[in-house]
Amino acid sequence: MTDSKDDYVYDDTTGEWRPASEMAAIAASAGKIEVRDAAGNVLADGDSVVLVKDLKVKGAGQTLKQGTVIKSIRLTDNPEEIDCRHDAIKGLVLRTEFVRKR
């Protein structure tokens, strides 16, 4: 009987046989993009952020003031942008350089 802990996979980059669970963890982490806010904190889906400066919103004719809390952000494919919702503005995309994790 073989256990999944006993399975080894050849790693082409290192030239070694490594445990399959370790290789699966490396493959999973390679696909993830690390998104950071203006202060360098790592952001994740569902986090709340605070604006660090006043932002004029194109097309809405509105200005979001510094200190405005944006709840429930979603990460995008671009590590410099987050997708979020505000009460008055739907489909808002903010640059990570203008937000700080709450």
Side-chain angles (χ1 to χ4, degrees):
M1 287 197 239
T2 59
D3 190 12
S4 64
K5 295 178 185 174
D6 296 332
D7 292 340
Y8 283 84
V9 178
Y10 185 74
D11 185 9
D12 292 328
T13 57
T14 61
E16 300 175 342
W17 288 92
R18 300 175 79 176
S21 58
E22 184 179 318
M23 292 299 290
I26 291 170
S29 67
K32 292 184 180 179
I33 299 172
E34 194 171 80
V35 179
R36 295 188 175 268
D37 66 0
N41 299 318
V42 177
L43 296 174
D45 284 334
D47 283 347
S48 294
V49 295
V50 177
L51 296 179
V52 295
K53 70 179 269 185
D54 292 350
L55 298 174
K56 292 182 182 178
V57 181
K58 294 180 182 178
Q62 222 177 9
T63 300
L64 293 175
K65 299 290 183 183
Q66 178 180 354
T68 301
V69 176
I70 306 291
K71 298 178 183 177
S72 248
I73 66 166
R74 286 179 292 169
L75 303 180
T76 62
D77 293 334
N78 185 348
E80 296 177 357
E81 295 178 348
I82 56 172
D83 187 27
C84 48
R85 299 177 82 182
H86 187 263
D87 296 335
I89 305 164
K90 304 297 181 209
L92 181 65
V93 176
L94 294 174
R95 306 250 327 149
T96 56
E97 63 192 86
F98 300 123
V99 297
R100 179 178 39 89
K101 189 173 181 175
R102 185 166 187 224

